[in-house]
Amino acid sequence: MWRLIRNALAALVLLVVIGAIAFAVIAWRPEIAAIAAPPQRAAFDRKDIEQGAALAAIGNCDVCHTAAGGAFYAGGRSIPTPFGTIYATNITPDPETGIGEWSETAFRRALRQGVARDGHHLYPVFPYDHFIDVTDVDAHALYAFLMTRAPVTAPPVPNDLPFPFSWRPALALWKVLYLRPARFKHEPAQSQAWNRGGYLVEGLAHCGACHTPRNAEGAEQRDQKFAGGSSEGWYAPALNAASPAPVPWTADQLYAYLRRGDDPQHGAPAGPMAPVVHNLARVSDADVRAIATYLASTIAAAPGAAPKPPSVALLAATPGKDAAEVFAGACASCHSGAPGAVAIDLAHSTAVNAPDPRNAIRVVLAGIMPSPGEPGAMMPAFAGALTDQQIADLMSYVRGRFGHEPQWGDLVDKVRAIRTGQEKS
Ligand code: HEC
Ligand code: HEC
Ligand code: HEC
């Protein structure tokens, strides 16, 4: 009897020891030797430092690593998470309190693997699950940029995390489960801009860190990419088929929003998106275009992406709205005819000036959808939002205001025939 118990205990101890050793093997990371002094400015190419500045802006390094009113990159900013508050660290080249003793190898490992120079695991609020895809060349430029900032003495602020979240070795398991390289794969069939945009959006720019929902362990749900997430108590809207934008985003509008923060159809960023847009002002035009190009395809290409009519559902439900009001609310935003408007000035439209109204009615009923994966002209479908009579009235209004030909006849009948599928040939 006693022998049995003794053997069982021995087996248990053995299991625990083996488990502990296995865990230590998974969790342990070596220290990378300190460098004697931070590299001097002369050690870097000026072009690399400049490129590093633009890349740091795309990666929003300053947003997290700068406390309100504090020195740039000196850390101390609190970042609220569902697990507790984490403080960003000092990434100026101060040897004692910053990363002045970090070699480029140590920096690269932190950026892509979330491991500090001394070997401790870093929390994934630092979006290394995206930075893992940053190339060596770009990591070098970032290192050159950071190592040539003014060193600031600013000791790290301790995190406010309860146990077990405060126990860093557990992060090794999180990484086994969730840290995966190559979110983005180069697609030769796509344009150069699309591929550049994909590399930036999925990697350094970590757009999904806010715009993708997270699971209970704080990891992004990859099967829900861009389905809408949250950041600091704000809703970060879906950037896929579920986009709630009343006017579907086009690449040009995304560009205007990201470049200037003032796309007329979608308003301006106000919450955590504001510093992102602010930083993009320091990024080359080509890169912002590339980001918009790629994003336009994630918004449009997802299965079931259907452009949604601008609040016309409301308009349509309100009796007494006449055609001029419907046009102002539902069409004018795109068809204003003003310079830079996203859609054609209807005064120039063949459909509006054609001898019969079929083409114009069809466009309004069904909208215009680019083929999946292709950025292109997009117009929402109004079939669900407007009655036959409203569409007929709208057609006469459009013809009267923008056409150069006499009015069409029998409009309600024609709309009904097209809608019910009688009008086929
Ligand atoms: C969303 C916020 C956020 C962004 C954006 C961010 N970081 Fe961080 N970073 C953090 C936090 C928080 C930590 C500390 C994590 C910890 O203590 O485990 C950190 C840690 C680091 C570290 C390790 C420093 C140390 O002393 O251990 C480096 C290096 C670093 N970040 C560099 C960067 C660079 C370069 C960028 C931009 C490309 C960047 N970070 C963008 C939040 C961020
Ligand atoms: C720190 C979190 C965060 C990051 C990182 C972030 N966003 Fe946002 N984004 C938001 C939030 C929150 C909003 C809601 C509006 C606001 O903040 O004013 C938003 C709004 C937007 C909108 C407007 C959506 C709409 O339909 O109105 C677009 C487009 C957008 N972000 C694109 C991007 C792109 C592209 C990136 C990467 C380059 C990015 N975001 C990175 C948080 C973020
Ligand atoms: C989200 C923007 C958007 C909205 C809103 C919109 N359209 Fe369009 N519309 C377009 C685009 C894009 C095209 C394709 C032509 C182009 O590239 O300008 C188009 C094409 C058309 C055409 C065909 C023009 C031609 O000859 O090729 C008509 C007619 C038209 N729209 C009428 C309307 C009416 C009426 C409304 C309101 C009920 C409306 N549109 C709302 C974007 C929009």
Side-chain angles (χ1 to χ4, degrees):
M1 178 67 185
W2 286 113
R3 239 188 51 207
L4 254 177
I5 291 178
R6 206 186 58 203
N7 286 351
L9 271 178
L12 193 71
V13 168
L14 195 69
L15 266 181
V16 168
V17 168
I18 290 174
I21 291 173
F23 179 75
V25 167
I26 293 172
W28 184 78
R29 296 289 186 284
E31 173 174 354
I32 293 177
I35 51 175
Q40 295 299 301
R41 180 169 284 263
F44 300 110
D45 219 333
R46 224 192 59 201
K47 282 224 308 285
D48 286 340
I49 299 175
E50 279 165 14
Q51 177 64 6
L55 293 171
I58 294 176
N60 292 316
C61 318
D62 61 334
V63 177
C64 290
H65 285 278
T66 307
F72 271 100
Y73 302 108
R77 172 169 169 171
S78 66
I79 302 168
T81 76
F83 310 99
T85 304
I86 298 176
Y87 291 86
T89 45
N90 179 352
I91 54 169
T92 70
D94 179 58
E96 257 87 66
T97 62
I99 59 169
E101 291 187 330
W102 291 41
S103 64
E104 188 168 336
T105 310
F107 175 75
R108 241 185 346 228
R109 182 176 73 169
L111 197 67
R112 296 189 192 146
Q113 300 293 325
V115 177
R117 188 188 66 76
D118 65 5
H120 73 256
H121 288 282
L122 296 163
Y123 290 103
V125 242
F126 170 32
Y128 53 80
D129 55 332
H130 289 269
F131 296 165
I132 188 169
D133 285 342
V134 171
T135 61
D136 283 355
V137 172
D138 285 354
H140 174 73
L142 281 166
Y143 183 72
F145 171 71
L146 287 174
M147 285 311 210
T148 50
R149 298 307 92 199
V152 177
T153 306
V157 181
N159 295 329
D160 185 7
L161 286 172
F163 187 82
F165 306 121
S166 55
W167 194 59
R168 287 181 182 268
L171 290 166
L173 289 181
W174 190 93
K175 290 177 184 179
V176 169
L177 292 173
Y178 301 117
L179 187 60
R180 298 271 181 285
R183 272 173 200 264
F184 174 69
K185 291 192 184 59
H186 185 93
E187 287 195 21
Q190 295 280 3
S191 68
Q192 208 183 334
W194 186 91
N195 277 298
R196 172 72 180 162
Y199 165 72
L200 292 174
V201 164
E202 305 289 355
L204 192 56
H206 63 275
C207 311
C210 297
H211 288 277
T212 298
R214 291 176 186 267
N215 66 15
E217 289 88 53
E220 285 169 40
Q221 296 171 265
R222 292 205 173 192
D223 56 341
Q224 301 272 314
K225 192 161 93 168
F226 294 135
S230 58
S231 166
E232 299 175 51
W234 286 68
Y235 170 62
L239 300 175
N240 63 9
S243 160
V247 178
W249 286 96
T250 65
D252 282 344
Q253 291 167 348
L254 286 165
Y255 169 80
Y257 180 87
L258 296 170
R259 171 94 284 179
R260 299 187 295 270
D262 69 347
D263 175 61
Q265 262 77 242
H266 298 92
M273 191 59 199
V276 177
V277 170
H278 179 80
N279 267 346
L280 286 175
R282 294 188 275 137
V283 173
S284 79
D285 213 47
D287 276 353
V288 178
R289 271 268 173 231
I291 289 173
T293 303
Y294 178 78
L295 207 61
S297 79
T298 73
I299 291 189
K308 290 171 214 68
S311 50
V312 279
L314 252 182
L315 267 176
T318 318
K321 291 279 182 202
D322 69 9
E325 283 172 294
V326 173
F327 186 86
C331 321
S333 59
C334 294
H335 289 289
S336 66
V342 298
I344 189 168
D345 178 346
L346 291 179
H348 302 156
S349 155
T350 306
V352 170
N353 286 285
D356 85 36
R358 280 183 298 178
N359 294 3
I361 294 172
R362 285 188 186 281
V363 165
V364 171
L365 279 174
I368 298 172
M369 282 254 265
S371 37
E374 294 282 300
M378 196 189 254
M379 173 169 149
F382 291 89
L386 300 171
T387 63
D388 292 351
Q389 186 65 54
Q390 281 175 311
I391 292 178
D393 292 349
L394 188 62
M395 289 294 103
S396 345
Y397 172 78
V398 164
R399 180 82 159 177
R401 177 166 162 196
F402 302 102
H404 319 291
E405 304 290 326
Q407 274 296 345
W408 290 308
D410 303 328
L411 277 167
V412 186
D413 289 346
K414 284 177 177 150
V415 174
R416 186 174 308 122
I418 290 174
R419 207 201 279 267
T420 55
Q422 289 160 25
E423 177 80 40
K424 277 195 193 116
S425 48

